[in-house]
Amino acid sequence: MLRIAVLGAGRIANIHAANVAAHPHAQLVLVADPWREGVNALSAQLGCEAAYDCAAVLGRTDIDAVVIGTPTDTHIDLMLAAVAQGKAVLCEKPIDLDIAKARAAVQAVEQQHGRVMLGFNRRFDPDILHLRAALDGGHIGAVRQVIITSRDPSLAPRDYLAHSGGILRDMTIHDLDMARHLLGEEPCEVSAIASRLVDPTLEQIDDYDSVMVMLRTASGKQCHINCCREAVYGYDQRVEVSGALGVLLTDNHRPSTVRHWSAKHTEALEPLQHFFLERYADAYRNELAQFIDALAAGRALPTTVRDGLYALYLADCALESVRTGRAVAVDYDL
Ligand SMILES: NC(=O)c1ccc[n+]([C@@H]2O[C@H](COP(=O)([O-])OP(=O)(O)OC[C@H]3O[C@@H](n4cnc5c(N)ncnc54)[C@H](O)[C@@H]3O)[C@@H](O)[C@H]2O)c1
């Protein structure tokens, strides 16, 4: 049994805590969050201890691993403190919003041989696991182009956006990681454009709501990411990978497969209703299961802090391209 503490009692920590509690080889020892009402409710629901100081629980000897689901600006401090105490860590994305701080943290983790996995949950989505297996099986031959569509159903609250680090570091970072995961080769050049098509007042917080990013690898493989904070028809998550022998496509999940044919239309379907908590429920479960399995088997974790650093760096390169209007060379000398 891996004894786990979940740090945070907000949206994502609720998911992780429930998944830990349900895992047959894990024990949810406690949930911790300064928000007493939230953490008390979560601990009562899942039958574990509640704690109010996240850092204070890291020294406990009855905890083997922690899941960090607290705000982004707390990730690195909690991660480093957990590693120093010999705990394994599953940390939510993004690793941080500051590349220099993230670089120093990655070096510290690596020097201490810390076991830290970054929560890029989409890699563990069943569709993406199948897609990746088909690529590995050579089903479409050599990868040529990757197209990623990622649109949220609606704009997040202003307060969230103001502290998010911007669309590229907060939202597109998932897609940048997905691009690295699927291209099979690191990007060497990034170009991007960004607009405020949903809410022009985002200029006040120096952010955008619609971005397109293009990546190129050294051998010429290409990736196009289109990302928007609003899609009135629902959460739009699609991936297309084309190769020498064919194409692999993932589609959106729908509440049902019922199709509506009438005098007016023949292919009307219900709106896409999911947002990330529902759409990626299996992905969060698989992510945790792979974390636990890798630790039990003494295997390398499937994602690392370096994945977090590289994705953040690509987001920064894309932002630089938006601001300069030029393609930016990727130099992973981090
Ligand atoms: N992988 C994903 O799909 C995904 C989805 C959502 C959020 N996230 C990430 O998870 C993290 C949390 O996001 P969320 O949406 O759950 O946020 P949230 O606001 O719902 O929850 C954050 C929790 O952290 C607590 N908190 C606040 N300050 C704290 C501090 N100093 N120390 C410890 N806890 C503190 C708050 O009380 C709150 O309960 C963010 O980094 C976000 O980027 C990832």
Side-chain angles (χ1 to χ4, degrees):
M1 285 300 239
L2 192 72
R3 299 166 300 174
I4 299 181
V6 171
L7 310 185
R11 290 188 305 173
I12 202 71
N14 260 268
I15 298 290
H16 289 312
N19 286 340
V20 171
H23 196 284
H25 302 303
Q27 180 196 347
L28 179 63
V29 178
L30 62 87
V31 286
D33 192 303
W35 176 36
R36 286 176 180 254
E37 197 186 340
V39 77
N40 287 342
L42 185 60
S43 70
Q45 182 195 328
L46 298 176
C48 68
E49 197 183 316
Y52 309 118
D53 182 339
C54 291
V57 303
L58 296 174
R60 284 178 49 157
T61 53
D62 60 344
I63 293 167
D64 306 309
V66 296
V67 178
I68 301 176
T70 49
T72 300
D73 61 357
T74 66
H75 289 178
I76 283 182
D77 287 350
L78 291 172
M79 175 197 299
L80 292 179
V83 167
Q85 294 288 343
K87 316 294 185 204
V89 178
L90 170 57
C91 179
E92 262 312 330
K93 53 55 66 179
I95 181 170
D96 196 79
L97 299 177
D98 181 80
I99 195 79
K101 192 175 166 200
R103 183 197 298 128
V106 168
Q107 283 168 356
V109 169
E110 290 177 347
Q111 271 162 13
Q112 294 172 74
H113 304 290
R115 297 163 298 164
V116 182
M117 175 168 162
L118 241 289
F120 286 120
N121 57 291
R122 293 184 194 177
R123 292 193 187 206
F124 307 98
D125 176 54
D127 289 347
I128 297 299
L129 291 172
H130 273 86
L131 193 153
R132 184 64 254 178
L135 289 177
D136 293 341
H139 296 193
I140 62 161
V143 170
R144 291 175 176 165
Q145 295 182 312
V146 176
I147 299 175
I148 301 171
T149 299
S150 180
R151 302 190 182 115
D152 280 357
S154 57
L155 200 65
R158 185 61 155 229
D159 185 48
Y160 174 87
L161 295 174
H163 298 98
S164 71
I167 183 171
L168 287 159
R169 294 191 191 102
D170 177 53
M171 184 177 167
T172 320
I173 201 155
H174 277 295
D175 311 302
L176 292 164
D177 178 69
M178 188 55 58
R180 291 184 62 237
H181 186 52
L182 299 179
L183 280 167
E185 215 180 282
E186 292 294 344
C188 68
E189 187 183 88
V190 181
S191 51
I193 53 174
S195 306
R196 300 172 187 103
L197 301 173
V198 180
D199 183 356
T201 70
L202 286 178
E203 188 175 8
Q204 293 162 6
I205 56 169
D206 196 21
D207 200 3
Y208 306 90
D209 50 49
S210 310
V211 296
M212 287 201 171
V213 181
M214 286 199 294
L215 308 166
R216 187 171 61 79
T217 70
S219 75
K221 294 177 184 180
Q222 302 166 346
C223 175
H224 170 214
I225 297 169
N226 64 79
C227 195
C228 185
R229 289 274 196 196
E230 183 184 77
V232 292
Y233 50 88
Y235 192 36
D236 191 1
Q237 298 283 291
R238 287 171 285 148
V239 172
E240 176 178 325
V241 185
S242 72
L245 304 177
V247 66
L248 297 165
L249 305 150
T250 70
D251 210 340
N252 285 305
H253 294 191
R254 297 173 187 278
S256 80
T257 58
V258 175
R259 294 185 297 164
H260 177 190
W261 292 13
S262 73
K264 282 196 180 143
H265 36 58
T266 53
E267 285 296 341
L269 293 160
E270 291 175 80
L272 309 168
Q273 287 181 341
H274 305 289
F275 197 19
F276 63 91
L277 295 177
E278 300 83 16
R279 169 63 185 82
Y280 287 116
D282 289 338
Y284 297 122
R285 222 177 347 263
N286 291 339
E287 173 183 78
L288 179 81
Q290 290 210 19
F291 175 68
I292 292 169
D293 287 353
L295 290 175
R299 278 196 313 267
L301 291 164
T303 62
T304 65
V305 271
R306 197 154 278 282
D307 290 316
L309 178 64
Y310 285 3
L312 179 65
Y313 176 57
L314 290 176
D316 282 1
C317 291
L319 189 58
E320 186 184 332
S321 175
V322 167
R323 294 204 164 129
T324 61
R326 296 207 176 89
V328 173
V330 176
D331 174 7
Y332 276 124
D333 188 20
L334 291 165

